[in-house]
Amino acid sequence: MVRRGRRAVRALAVLLVLLVGLVVVGGVLSQTAWFRERLRRLAIRQADRALEGSLQIGSIEGTLVGGVRLRDVSVQQNGLTVVRVGTVELRYSIGDLLSDGRTVQHIAIDDVAVEAVHTADGWNVAHLLKPRPPADPNAPRATFTLPDIRVTNVQVTVRETGGQQTDAIPRRIDGLAFEGAVASSPRELSVDVRRLTFRASQPDLDLRSLAGRVVSMPAGWRFQSIAARTGESDVTVGGTMTRTGVDAPWTFDMRVAGRPVSLP
C-alpha cells in the first residue's frame, strides 16, 4: 500500500513537471516571430467566417499569456477600406479569460478611421457582419466584463450616394474619444460611459463631454445619469424605454433637464 502511494505521488510529480515544461515551452514559443505570424493568420481566418469583408492585420506583438498588440488593422469591403485602426492593445490574464466571467482587463484602440457610406441598401458599416439566424430573445446573454476600454483619435467620414441626402447627419467627425466599460450578464448588457467627446461638422456639433450608463434589458433600455455638454447646451437624461413585445409600441418614462438648451 505504501509502495502504491509512493508511485502515485511520483506519477503526480512527473505530471506536474511535464505541465510546467509545457507552459514554459508555450511561453517561449509565444515570443517568437513564427508563433505570432501563425496567430495573425489564424485571426484573419476566423474573422473571415464572421465578416462580410476581409480583415487585414499588419503585425501582432506580445504573447497569449498576458496580452497582445495588433498594428495596422483594417476591414475592407467591395474594394473600400471601411475601418482602419493603427493599434489595438489587449491586456488580460489567462485565469480571467477561462473563468465564468471572462474578463479582458484593458482594451486600448488608437488612430481609427471609419468610412461610412449610405446607399440604397443601407449603411455599409451595418453590413460588416454576415447575417446570423435570429437569436432567441429569452436565451441568456453571454457573460463577460470589459472594465477599461479606451478609444482615441477616431475620425469618421460620412458619404451618401444616390437618393435624398440627410442634412441632420454630420459629414465628418473628428477627435472622437471614449473611455468606459462594458459588462454582460445573463439578463442585462450595460455600457458605462466615463467620457465621450467629439467634434462634428456639416452640421456642426461640439460634444465636449458625455457620461452616464446605458443598460439593455429584455424589456427595453434604461438610461442612468446621462449628462451631455456641448458648446451651447448642458443636458441630463434619465429613465426607461420599454415595450411588452417585439411588435408592441414603446413606452417612454424619461426625465430630461437642461440649462441652457439649444436646439438646431
Side-chain angles (χ1 to χ4, degrees), residues 162-208:
Q164 186 176 1
Q165 303 292 303
T166 305
D167 295 333
I169 299 177
R171 293 295 176 247
R172 186 180 175 95
I173 297 175
D174 291 295
L176 190 150
F178 170 86
E179 293 182 11
V182 176
S184 176
S185 66
R187 301 300 292 172
E188 291 187 350
L189 174 68
S190 64
V191 179
D192 287 286
V193 182
R194 293 192 287 268
R195 184 176 71 94
L196 174 64
T197 62
F198 63 77
R199 300 182 308 278
S201 58
Q202 303 179 25
D204 295 341
L205 175 62
D206 181 12
L207 181 62
R208 298 181 178 179

Side-chain angles (χ1 to χ4, degrees), residues 47-58:
D48 286 342
R49 299 179 180 179
L51 292 176
E52 286 285 8
S54 60
L55 172 70
Q56 301 295 325
I57 302 174

Side-chain angles (χ1 to χ4, degrees), residues 226-228 232-237 255-263:
I226 305 295
E232 297 80 23
S233 301
D234 195 341
V235 180
T236 59
V237 179
R255 298 168 298 281
V256 180
R259 191 177 55 187
V261 175
S262 174
L263 299 178

Side-chain angles (χ1 to χ4, degrees), residues 2 15 22 26 48 51 61 68 74 82 91 99 103 115 123 127 131 136 163 165 174-175 179 181 194 209 214 260:
V2 173
L15 180 59
L22 287 175
D48 286 342
L51 292 176
E61 304 169 359
V68 294
S74 64
V82 182
R91 290 206 304 264
S99 67
T103 299
E115 188 81 11
W123 290 97
H127 296 98
D136 182 0
Q165 303 292 303
D174 291 295
E179 293 182 11
R194 293 192 287 268
S209 69
V214 180

Side-chain angles (χ1 to χ4, degrees), residues 78 80 116-124 127 159-164:
N78 300 325
L80 176 68
V117 181
H118 186 260
T119 67
D121 296 325
W123 290 97
N124 61 342
H127 296 98
R159 293 190 291 115
E160 293 184 272
T161 61
Q164 186 176 1

Side-chain angles (χ1 to χ4, degrees), residues 12-147:
L12 289 174
V14 172
L15 180 59
L16 180 60
V17 171
L18 289 174
L19 289 175
V20 171
L22 287 175
V23 171
V24 171
V25 171
V28 172
L29 286 177
S30 67
Q31 299 284 351
T32 64
W34 173 88
F35 178 85
R36 290 194 287 264
E37 176 60 20
R38 296 301 184 277
L39 182 61
R40 186 187 70 86
R41 293 180 182 180
L42 175 62
I44 291 174
R45 287 198 302 269
Q46 293 297 322
D48 286 342
R49 299 179 180 179
L51 292 176
E52 286 285 8
S54 60
L55 172 70
Q56 301 295 325
I57 302 174
S59 63
I60 295 181
E61 304 169 359
T63 71
L64 287 180
V65 178
V68 294
R69 180 183 292 109
L70 285 63
R71 295 189 182 276
D72 300 325
V73 180
S74 64
V75 178
Q76 298 181 351
Q77 184 184 70
N78 300 325
L80 176 68
T81 300
V82 182
V83 180
R84 179 189 59 77
V85 182
T87 59
V88 179
E89 181 180 354
L90 308 175
R91 290 206 304 264
Y92 50 81
S93 70
I94 295 298
D96 289 338
L97 289 180
L98 297 179
S99 67
D100 293 338
R102 295 186 183 87
T103 299
V104 177
Q105 297 165 353
H106 175 74
I107 301 176
I109 303 172
D110 182 53
D111 189 19
V112 182
V114 179
E115 188 81 11
V117 181
H118 186 260
T119 67
D121 296 325
W123 290 97
N124 61 342
V125 291
H127 296 98
L128 286 179
L129 296 179
K130 291 181 179 179
R132 300 177 60 183
D136 182 0
N138 297 317
R141 301 178 187 269
T143 301
F144 62 86
T145 305
L146 310 175

